[in-house]
Amino acid sequence: MQIEAIYDHGRLELPGQIRFAHQRFTVRIDVPDDIIVTHEVSQSEDQARTSYTLPPEVAALSQAMADRLERIRNAPLPPDEQLPPLTQKQYNRIEAFTFRDEFRKMRD
């Protein structure tokens, strides 16, 4: 089905009361070539973007943070028996997320 829409500052405005079966899906948009504005990047602009180097102390801090994050990502999970019990607040949040998911399924 083809639908005519209006592009307005990053948003597509659809006509009328159109309802879709899903909340998220891929669409194909045909845009006339004369509407698209391209900006040619000069070689000096491109080099200026890629040739910047961080000060050594910032690069070292960044690398230390990246290493720490990698250690956290690769750390083994503790056995379930060693985990602390869930708090009431955590139970409430789990229940709220479950309710939200069920509500979304009803709307779709």
Side-chain angles (χ1 to χ4, degrees), residues 1 13 16 22 31 42 46 65-66 80 102:
M1 170 185 261
E13 296 177 0
H22 302 285
V31 179
S42 70
D46 193 38
M65 291 173 70
D80 288 345
E102 290 173 3

Short mmCIF file of all heavy atoms in Angstrom, two decimals, residues 1 13 16 22 31 42 46 65-66 80 102:
data_model
loop_
_atom_site.label_atom_id
_atom_site.label_comp_id
_atom_site.label_asym_id
_atom_site.label_seq_id
_atom_site.Cartn_x
_atom_site.Cartn_y
_atom_site.Cartn_z
N MET A 1 0.85 -1.18 0.00
CA MET A 1 0.00 0.00 0.00
C MET A 1 0.89 1.23 0.00
O MET A 1 1.88 1.29 0.72
CB MET A 1 -0.88 -0.01 1.25
CG MET A 1 -1.62 1.30 1.45
SD MET A 1 -2.54 1.34 2.98
CE MET A 1 -4.13 0.94 2.34
N GLU A 13 4.60 12.81 8.92
CA GLU A 13 3.21 13.02 9.32
C GLU A 13 2.32 12.26 8.35
O GLU A 13 2.32 12.54 7.16
CB GLU A 13 2.87 14.50 9.33
CG GLU A 13 3.67 15.30 10.33
CD GLU A 13 3.38 16.80 10.26
OE1 GLU A 13 2.55 17.22 9.42
OE2 GLU A 13 3.98 17.53 11.06
N GLY A 16 -4.80 11.29 8.17
CA GLY A 16 -5.94 10.58 8.75
C GLY A 16 -5.63 9.71 9.95
O GLY A 16 -4.64 9.87 10.63
N HIS A 22 1.57 -3.34 13.82
CA HIS A 22 2.75 -3.45 14.68
C HIS A 22 3.24 -2.06 15.05
O HIS A 22 2.99 -1.09 14.35
CB HIS A 22 3.88 -4.20 13.95
CG HIS A 22 3.47 -5.58 13.53
ND1 HIS A 22 3.35 -6.62 14.40
CD2 HIS A 22 3.12 -6.07 12.31
CE1 HIS A 22 2.96 -7.70 13.76
NE2 HIS A 22 2.81 -7.40 12.48
N VAL A 31 12.19 9.37 -2.27
CA VAL A 31 12.41 10.81 -2.14
C VAL A 31 13.01 11.32 -3.45
O VAL A 31 13.98 10.75 -3.95
CB VAL A 31 13.39 11.10 -0.97
CG1 VAL A 31 13.64 12.58 -0.84
CG2 VAL A 31 12.85 10.53 0.33
N SER A 42 35.56 18.04 2.18
CA SER A 42 36.86 18.24 1.56
C SER A 42 37.89 17.33 2.20
O SER A 42 37.70 16.84 3.31
CB SER A 42 37.30 19.70 1.69
OG SER A 42 37.60 19.98 3.04
N ASP A 46 38.16 16.06 6.15
CA ASP A 46 38.19 14.65 6.49
C ASP A 46 39.43 14.32 7.31
O ASP A 46 39.36 13.60 8.30
CB ASP A 46 38.14 13.81 5.22
CG ASP A 46 37.86 12.35 5.50
OD1 ASP A 46 37.05 12.06 6.41
OD2 ASP A 46 38.45 11.50 4.82
N MET A 65 39.55 2.56 31.43
CA MET A 65 38.11 2.37 31.54
C MET A 65 37.64 1.25 30.62
O MET A 65 36.79 0.42 31.00
CB MET A 65 37.38 3.67 31.23
CG MET A 65 37.58 4.75 32.28
SD MET A 65 36.89 6.35 31.80
CE MET A 65 35.16 6.01 31.88
N ALA A 66 38.17 1.21 29.40
CA ALA A 66 37.81 0.16 28.45
C ALA A 66 38.24 -1.21 28.97
O ALA A 66 37.49 -2.19 28.86
CB ALA A 66 38.43 0.44 27.08
N ASP A 80 23.77 -19.19 41.54
CA ASP A 80 22.52 -18.63 42.08
C ASP A 80 22.49 -18.66 43.61
O ASP A 80 21.94 -17.76 44.23
CB ASP A 80 21.31 -19.40 41.53
CG ASP A 80 21.06 -19.08 40.07
OD1 ASP A 80 21.63 -18.09 39.56
OD2 ASP A 80 20.28 -19.82 39.42
N GLU A 102 2.56 -7.27 29.35
CA GLU A 102 1.22 -7.81 29.11
C GLU A 102 0.30 -6.73 28.52
O GLU A 102 -0.48 -7.01 27.61
CB GLU A 102 0.63 -8.35 30.40
CG GLU A 102 1.32 -9.61 30.89
CD GLU A 102 0.84 -10.05 32.27
OE1 GLU A 102 -0.07 -9.39 32.84
OE2 GLU A 102 1.40 -11.04 32.78
#
